[in-house]
Amino acid sequence: MPTTSARLLALLSLLQTRRDWSGTALAARLGISLRTVRRDIDRLRDLGYPVAAAKGPDGGYRLAAGTELPPLLFDDDQAVALTIALQIAATGADGGLADDAARALHTVGQVLPARLRQRVGTLSVTAVARPTTAAPEPVDGGVLLALSAAAQNHEILRFDYGQDSPDGPARHAEPHHVVTWDGRWYLVAWDLDRADWRTFRADRITLRPPHGPRFTPRPLPGGDVATYVTGVFRGSGGTSTDWPCRGTVILDLPAATVARFTRDGLIEEIDPGRCRLTLGSWSWVSLAATIARYDADITVVGPDALTDAFALLARRFTRTVAGHLPTAARPLGDDARPKAP
């Protein structure tokens, strides 16, 4: 029979793997008697682990939530996964919780066994975010917890947003979900003052406690939060994950070359030097400008709105160039062409 300490660690590991265990199942897994299971459960409780018991022939046990965070037990794979996740969060790619993640990473690293410390030490993760004009503002973890709790409990929120004056009227919203998108945290909520769905940046929210009364959640456009948020940031209004403008062109470039610079599009090879590209954007002019970046001859397959967008860009570019060319090199307008003799 294993020592008491080894049995307790094995018992704790089993209780953390699933919600409920019968006494008989625990005894069988550990190779001990039901009486020993009961004694070991009492020892875990003495150590601060809140193990709840259920009535029944064999008795049932569950590791419940306590008032304090007790020591946790991870297997090797869980410890490695936790360390990698904290490394990514500590780079700031999580959306403003880098300092907390770095402290947690240091704490975990201090208690890792030597074999795992060496294994994790060989893996250094660097999360590279897309360049932006401004780094994401740090977000208070307490604010995220308060927003999430209000969404889960269906409680109306009162808050100031951005440059709102603290002496002015508060915003009122029914919180639906807390999400992260491209390095920032957002609250998806029904804005009661504007009677519409809104996405609020969490770093700009200053809560005004206490929270308001409970509410009945409304159906989110698009059916789920992923569809709604993707649609909002793509410009489709939250009802679809697709771009509101999508067109097809033929590029005089090899498909392999276009694929290197295309994240969200369909590429079909026509021949070794040409390919068909289907791409989306939030507007037709934006789509035309995006396609022009491939620096190749373009044939528009459709729709006509994309052709019109290329024509609009051509006129704009012609005016821009005309304003910077020497007089002799400027294109002639109809009223400036040489007169026939």
Side-chain angles (χ1 to χ4, degrees):
M1 178 179 294
T3 64
T4 301
S5 298
R7 280 202 326 271
L8 291 179
L9 289 174
L11 175 58
L12 180 58
S13 179
L14 289 175
L15 290 173
Q16 290 180 168
T17 58
R18 74 185 197 197
R19 187 169 178 83
D20 295 295
W21 283 92
S22 69
T24 302
L26 288 173
R29 290 291 296 269
L30 297 172
I32 57 179
S33 66
L34 275 173
R35 183 179 179 183
T36 304
V37 169
R38 297 189 189 101
R39 286 203 305 263
D40 287 348
I41 291 292
D42 289 336
R43 291 188 178 100
L44 287 178
R45 289 169 177 159
D46 292 339
L47 292 172
Y49 291 93
V51 183
K55 296 180 180 180
D58 296 329
Y61 299 100
R62 172 186 302 175
L63 189 60
T67 57
E68 296 181 356
L69 182 66
L72 301 176
L73 185 66
F74 297 101
D75 60 32
D76 287 7
D77 290 337
Q78 289 175 322
V80 172
L82 176 63
T83 305
I84 294 173
L86 288 173
Q87 282 192 43
I88 295 174
T91 65
D94 68 306
L97 299 176
D99 291 341
D100 293 337
R103 292 191 298 109
L105 179 61
H106 177 74
T107 301
V108 172
Q110 292 288 92
V111 298
L112 283 177
R115 69 180 188 282
L116 288 183
R117 191 179 301 115
Q118 182 179 4
R119 179 180 171 187
V120 171
T122 61
L123 177 63
S124 179
V125 177
T126 301
V128 180
R130 288 188 298 169
T132 57
T133 55
E137 293 294 330
V139 179
D140 187 343
V143 172
L144 292 180
L145 290 175
L147 296 177
S148 297
Q152 183 175 0
N153 297 329
H154 309 315
E155 295 174 337
I156 293 176
L157 285 173
R158 300 170 61 249
F159 58 93
D160 298 320
Y161 189 65
Q163 301 300 318
D164 289 351
S165 170
D167 299 326
R171 299 283 188 99
H172 297 80
E174 298 174 353
H176 186 280
H177 234 84
V178 177
V179 301
T180 180
W181 176 277
D182 202 17
R184 297 190 188 276
W185 290 93
Y186 295 88
L187 172 68
V188 177
W190 174 264
D191 190 326
L192 291 168
D193 302 315
R194 291 163 175 76
D196 198 4
W197 288 97
R198 290 288 189 273
T199 52
F200 299 96
R201 275 178 48 177
D203 59 281
R204 295 180 177 176
I205 292 176
T206 303
L207 293 172
R208 286 196 188 183
H211 301 327
R214 292 181 180 271
F215 63 90
T216 301
R218 305 168 189 265
L220 195 64
D224 60 81
V225 68
T227 300
Y228 173 76
V229 172
T230 302
V232 165
F233 286 101
R234 285 187 167 183
S236 64
T239 58
S240 170
T241 59
D242 198 8
W243 293 103
C245 302
R246 183 173 291 275
T248 301
V249 298
I250 294 175
L251 295 177
D252 286 355
L253 282 175
T257 301
V258 174
R260 291 166 51 197
F261 305 100
T262 306
R263 293 182 56 188
D264 183 19
L266 176 63
I267 305 167
E268 303 168 271
E269 184 178 48
I270 298 176
D271 54 48
R274 294 189 307 153
C275 66
R276 180 182 287 103
L277 172 66
T278 300
L279 206 60
S281 188
W282 57 273
S283 74
W284 291 112
V285 172
S286 171
L287 179 57
T290 299
I291 296 172
R293 294 188 306 169
Y294 288 95
D295 192 18
D297 288 340
I298 302 166
T299 302
V300 176
V301 177
D304 291 340
L306 181 56
T307 302
D308 295 340
F310 275 113
L312 175 59
L313 285 179
R315 292 193 296 272
R316 287 179 179 173
F317 293 159
T318 299
R319 288 194 297 268
T320 301
V321 172
H324 292 275
L325 288 176
T327 303
R330 291 182 184 177
L332 298 175
D334 291 338
D335 57 346
R337 295 184 185 278
K339 303 296 183 182

